[in-house]
Amino acid sequence: MGRFAQLRAAGTGFVVDLAALPVPVVVHWGRDLAGVDGTELDESGLAALALVGEPAVLNNSVDVPRRCSVWPTEAEGWAGTPAMAGHRDGVATTPRPRLVEHSLTDNRLVLVLADAITGLRITLTYEMDSSGVLSAQAALVASESYEVASVSTLLPLPSRAVEVLDFTGKWCRERSPQRTRLGHGAHVRESRRGKPGQDSAFLMTVGVPGYGFGDGEVWALHVAWSGDQRYVAEQLPETPPVLGGGELLRPGEVRLGPGDRYETPISLFAWSGEGLDGLAARWHALQRKKVRPPRPLVLNTWEAVYFNHDLDRLSALADAAAKVGVERVVLDDGWFRGRRDDTAGLGDWQVDTTVWPHGLTPFVDHVKGLGMQFGLWFEPEMVNLDSDLARQHPEWILGVPGEPGPPSRNQYVVDLSNPDAWAYLLTSIDDLVSQYGIDYLKWDHNRDLHEAVTHDGRPSVHNQTLALYRLIDELRRRHPDLEIESCASGGGRVDLGILARTDRVWASDCNDPVERQSIQRWTAQLLPPELIGSHVGPERSHTTSRRTEVSFRLATALFGHAGIEQDLTACSPEEIDRLTAWAALYKEFRPLLHSGRVVRADLPDDGGLFFHGVISNEQGLFCLARISTSAAGQSWRVRLPGLSRGRDYRLRIRGDLGLPSMRQVRAPEWVTAALDGWVRVPGAALVDAGVAMPTLDPGQALLLEVIVDRA
Ligand code: DGJ
């Protein structure tokens, strides 16, 4: 290897100057700086890149050019967020790392730093995936005792990237986007909930102002971690702006002894020159490396029966589900001992024989006999005080002994770092999975962790998170085909740490399509549709009380891992017919929806009107969704994103789910034609000029199918 290490993939480049001692410097992260013929810059090109990128030495500042090293510390005169903080009994707070080893193989750069002050040996690993996503992880090994306060992986941003997009939210309003302008100082987002939470930053994106779905240059970070976490975008007057993050540690949480090791979560960085859709495509490509069988159409029993478990009623529900075309039935909360409502039972993971006198076998056999898979709800990390587990093992409950603080949904948290508690959970779940041949676990987590200390008073979110990962990993090892959903009250634990070992998320407890359109649109900024649980609920939403049109609910639930969350036995024959047609449509488009590129149009009426779709080289399925009315009379021409202007296409309206109601004297003429059959349109007309859209009533959706015209 020469002076520079260069990682490149899918149009993204990352260049490190190894000669910039004592700590290598990041020379570039962004668009791949390939030569005209696509080959990588040679050493002289890279030397020129480093030369022209070196800034002035400023007045009233340290007397060296200020660049961003791979491990910024005060030793470099870095006054921003440092790569690490910590101490040994109040000393060794000013690390002075220096590069001692490095290697570059298969797009993987390993840098080893040694620090005489702290006694730490730091291994930093960067790896560029073929999607262009750059992962960064640090491992710290202590030679003497050392308390780690924080470690942040930081990458430099160009000064033109000043518009931040991240997310907030609450239960039933997850992934609510917020944009801010980055000034001098730090824009920081932290989670102290023991999980990312409903208000998780989720993905911090910083771009050149004005970026949208289809255009603009953006740099983004996701911290693949299910515990407490921190994101930062920071700009100081004299040093390069940075984007970074890592685990948020509590005082004393990571105390290393000689030979001990602390590994950071993986930070995932992605760049796009094609706006937020281009960025989403990279995240999706990364996650699609894990091959999953076709995502079965789900029926989840929660909103159909809640805690009212009854074999006959649930069997009738399964019968109706099978007729509609459901492929997996998930028995939700309420099946285990004492769980007749949400005040009791959590922790006692044995079937409640008062409601299931013959165990779950009759129901499981019934479901499987109908040709469907069987899934079961758990909330392993939680406990009600009214449970045998809490009565017999109060020492397994996380928190101040005997004073566990206020309950949340009547529940507390099991200390997974306690080996006995962990083993009990593993055995309980493992036994049930084996006994009933369970195909799928819905893994819930319905409260935040507060005062998450073990009984000796030590903060424990770090260990709790690792123990959770070990628990899931061991279950997966024992049951390789078992699938798991990360639920957490819907959307409370959506991160690529949990998704490295689970198969989808329940995006939100809100099935109201007006809210869901937005929740799914933004969850898809990181996750491909097939990982986003999206169920159709009843007419009146149980979380917003809003009544919505069935065709709108169905069109919304189609664009994810689809399912049903309502009592089918109470549906009219017309509703069942509609759901059956929808199930068939889901199966028809599933190969496209679960492998294609997610595209979203940038519309002036954003918020009132959404246009989104999934496309491949050959076809596309788009949805025009009117969320609310607009002051504009027309919906105007919408340009279809992602298609090729050089090709010809055919389009038609899919009325399988029923047609939306519209508010106009006459729909655009193409609508009438596209309801009758295919309409041929050149790609340039679709991509550059756009299609005049009808004026839908609020709470209505139109499905548009597009295929390449081969005639
Ligand atoms: C919260 C989940 O998000 C719901 O889907 C349901 O499983 C309930 N918990 C059950 O208690």
Side-chain angles (χ1 to χ4, degrees):
M1 196 191 330
R3 172 180 159 191
F4 296 96
Q6 192 174 188
L7 309 183
R8 308 167 63 220
T12 302
F14 175 66
V15 182
V16 172
D17 183 351
L18 299 164
L21 297 175
V23 180
V25 155
V26 180
V27 177
H28 177 71
W29 167 47
R31 185 184 299 279
D32 182 25
L33 303 173
V36 271
D37 56 356
T39 54
E40 64 180 28
L41 288 184
D42 60 14
E43 279 280 313
S44 71
L46 292 169
L49 170 75
L51 175 69
V52 299
E54 191 170 296
V57 175
L58 296 179
N59 294 326
N60 197 27
S61 182
V62 292
D63 296 333
V64 289
R66 314 304 300 275
R67 298 186 293 173
C68 181
S69 80
V70 295
W71 201 256
T73 62
E74 287 187 48
E76 302 166 7
W78 187 263
T81 297
M84 64 167 291
H87 68 101
R88 183 187 317 113
D89 298 329
V91 299
T93 59
T94 53
R96 281 197 166 184
R98 62 187 171 80
L99 183 71
V100 290
E101 275 175 48
H102 61 266
S103 66
L104 176 64
T105 40
D106 301 332
N107 247 358
R108 189 162 184 264
L109 172 65
V110 180
L111 304 172
V112 182
L113 310 175
D115 178 18
I117 304 268
T118 61
L120 291 171
R121 189 175 171 90
I122 301 157
T123 304
L124 247 178
T125 306
Y126 296 99
E127 190 159 4
M128 178 85 76
D129 178 76
S130 59
S131 59
V133 173
L134 178 72
S135 66
Q137 187 175 32
L140 279 53
V141 177
S143 56
E144 305 172 61
S145 63
Y146 198 77
E147 178 174 330
V148 181
S150 70
V151 180
S152 303
T153 328
L154 300 157
L155 285 188
L157 293 169
S159 59
R160 63 186 183 281
V162 288
E163 188 171 325
V164 182
L165 167 69
D166 60 23
F167 297 88
T168 180
K170 59 173 184 175
W171 179 69
C172 285
R173 180 64 196 268
E174 295 79 8
R175 318 284 156 251
S176 205
Q178 54 181 14
R179 288 203 187 214
T180 35
R181 178 122 187 156
L182 185 64
H184 283 159
H187 172 77
V188 175
R189 296 295 311 284
E190 292 180 338
S191 164
R192 297 168 190 273
R193 302 180 186 280
K195 59 181 173 181
Q198 258 86 3
D199 65 337
S200 150
F202 185 53
L203 191 61
M204 188 172 276
T205 302
V206 192
V208 181
Y211 60 85
F213 290 116
D215 295 300
E217 210 183 1
V218 284
W219 292 255
L221 164 67
H222 173 75
V223 178
W225 181 243
S226 312
D228 289 344
Q229 50 196 256
R230 184 172 194 270
Y231 287 80
V232 60
E234 186 173 34
Q235 183 171 229
L236 294 186
E238 77 279 27
T239 43
V242 288
L243 176 64
E247 182 177 10
L248 188 149
L249 297 172
R250 307 301 175 94
E253 191 159 17
V254 173
R255 300 201 311 181
L256 304 177
D260 287 351
R261 176 185 171 93
Y262 168 71
E263 241 177 45
T264 68
I266 295 177
S267 289
L268 295 164
F269 293 91
W271 165 87
S272 161
E274 296 173 349
L276 295 170
D277 283 354
L279 196 59
R282 293 195 188 279
W283 300 122
H284 298 178
L286 177 76
Q287 292 162 76
R288 282 173 168 163
K289 297 247 154 86
K290 178 169 163 184
V291 180
R292 296 174 178 84
R295 309 286 68 217
L297 186 69
V298 174
L299 173 107
N300 191 74
T301 61
W302 180 239
E303 290 187 46
V305 300
Y306 295 101
F307 292 106
N308 303 319
H309 285 203
D310 171 83
L311 176 61
D312 290 342
R313 186 170 171 195
L314 284 161
S315 298
L317 184 62
D319 290 338
K323 282 195 193 114
V324 162
V326 165
E327 298 160 311
R328 171 185 288 162
V329 171
V330 180
L331 184 64
D332 209 286
D333 197 355
W335 57 268
F336 47 95
R337 238 181 34 243
R339 188 66 168 174
R340 303 298 11 108
D341 57 34
D342 67 9
T343 62
L346 284 176
D348 295 346
W349 302 110
Q350 297 85 34
V351 177
D352 189 341
T353 48
T354 64
V355 280
W356 295 99
H358 305 290
L360 297 179
T361 305
F363 185 58
V364 176
D365 286 354
H366 190 76
V367 167
K368 295 208 170 191
L370 290 165
M372 298 182 288
Q373 295 181 7
F374 177 72
L376 194 60
W377 182 94
F378 282 89
E379 198 177 2
E381 296 142 272
M382 297 293 158
V383 57
N384 289 121
L385 293 187
D386 186 358
S387 67
D388 288 345
L389 183 144
R391 281 183 285 271
Q392 287 163 14
H393 293 288
E395 76 281 10
W396 288 3
I397 301 176
L398 206 57
V400 181
E403 297 173 41
S408 177
R409 205 197 185 202
N410 310 304
Q411 64 197 53
Y412 292 93
V413 182
V414 176
D415 176 7
L416 295 193
S417 69
N418 179 312
D420 296 334
W422 188 91
Y424 161 75
L425 289 172
L426 175 65
T427 307
S428 309
I429 303 170
D430 182 27
D431 284 353
L432 287 159
V433 172
S434 301
Q435 182 183 351
Y436 293 116
I438 295 172
D439 300 293
Y440 181 79
L441 302 184
K442 178 175 177 181
W443 192 296
D444 216 337
H445 184 282
N446 283 302
R447 68 159 292 168
D448 290 346
L449 274 56
H450 305 299
E451 296 186 311
V453 290
T454 46
H455 282 200
D456 57 3
R458 296 205 170 280
S460 195
V461 170
H462 174 76
N463 287 339
Q464 179 85 358
T465 309
L466 292 178
L468 166 71
Y469 286 172
R470 280 200 308 279
L471 182 59
I472 298 178
D473 291 347
E474 179 56 21
L475 278 167
R476 299 291 297 244
R477 195 190 63 74
R478 295 185 184 189
H479 306 278
D481 295 330
L482 180 69
E483 291 189 12
I484 302 180
E485 167 181 280
S486 172
C487 175
S489 311
R493 190 152 62 186
V494 182
D495 65 82
L496 299 190
I498 200 81
L499 277 164
R501 41 190 54 82
T502 57
D503 301 277
R504 71 167 219 171
V505 300
W506 177 228
S508 174
D509 269 357
C510 187
N511 286 330
D512 175 339
V514 173
E515 307 294 330
R516 264 284 176 157
Q517 279 285 338
S518 178
I519 292 167
Q520 287 175 199
R521 136 180 294 221
W522 289 113
T523 306
Q525 187 53 40
L526 180 67
L527 268 48
E530 63 271 26
L531 267 59
I532 303 174
S534 58
H535 295 179
V536 58
E539 181 186 1
R540 183 173 185 273
S541 161
H542 77 150
T543 57
T544 63
S545 297
R546 184 162 29 211
R547 290 181 191 280
T548 52
E549 197 84 52
V550 63
S551 54
F552 188 36
R553 276 179 276 133
L554 294 170
T556 303
L558 195 62
F559 287 84
H561 179 186
I564 298 171
E565 191 97 14
Q566 59 176 306
D567 186 0
L568 293 175
T569 63
C571 288
S572 67
E574 295 73 37
E575 286 173 297
I576 292 291
D577 286 350
R578 196 77 69 91
L579 281 161
T580 308
W582 170 76
L585 196 67
Y586 172 67
K587 289 173 192 173
E588 178 186 341
F589 281 100
R590 177 164 53 189
L592 168 69
L593 293 170
H594 295 178
S595 68
R597 180 178 169 102
V598 170
V599 290
R600 296 154 292 185
D602 291 295
L603 301 180
D605 184 16
D606 199 26
L609 188 67
F610 287 176
F611 186 79
H612 63 92
V614 181
I615 57 162
S616 69
N617 273 341
E618 298 300 315
Q619 61 174 153
L621 184 69
F622 294 95
C623 176
L624 177 74
R626 172 56 77 187
I627 311 298
S628 61
T629 61
S630 157
Q634 294 281 6
S635 296
W636 298 116
R637 295 174 82 155
V638 171
R639 295 184 298 165
L640 272 53
L643 304 181
S644 306
R645 49 176 62 86
R647 302 174 92 174
D648 286 337
Y649 291 92
R650 292 169 181 233
L651 57 91
R652 66 174 174 177
I653 290 169
R654 293 296 299 245
D656 313 49
L657 311 179
L659 291 174
S661 64
M662 310 191 202
R663 201 55 45 189
Q664 59 213 350
V665 173
R666 191 165 55 83
E669 209 166 309
W670 73 266
V671 170
T672 317
L675 280 167
D676 268 359
W678 293 107
V679 177
R680 291 179 63 176
V681 191
L686 298 176
V687 173
D688 294 319
V691 177
M693 290 297 168
T695 304
L696 305 187
D697 276 334
Q700 301 288 331
L702 183 79
L703 288 178
L704 199 59
E705 181 184 5
V706 176
I707 57 169
V708 171
D709 181 26
R710 302 229 168 264

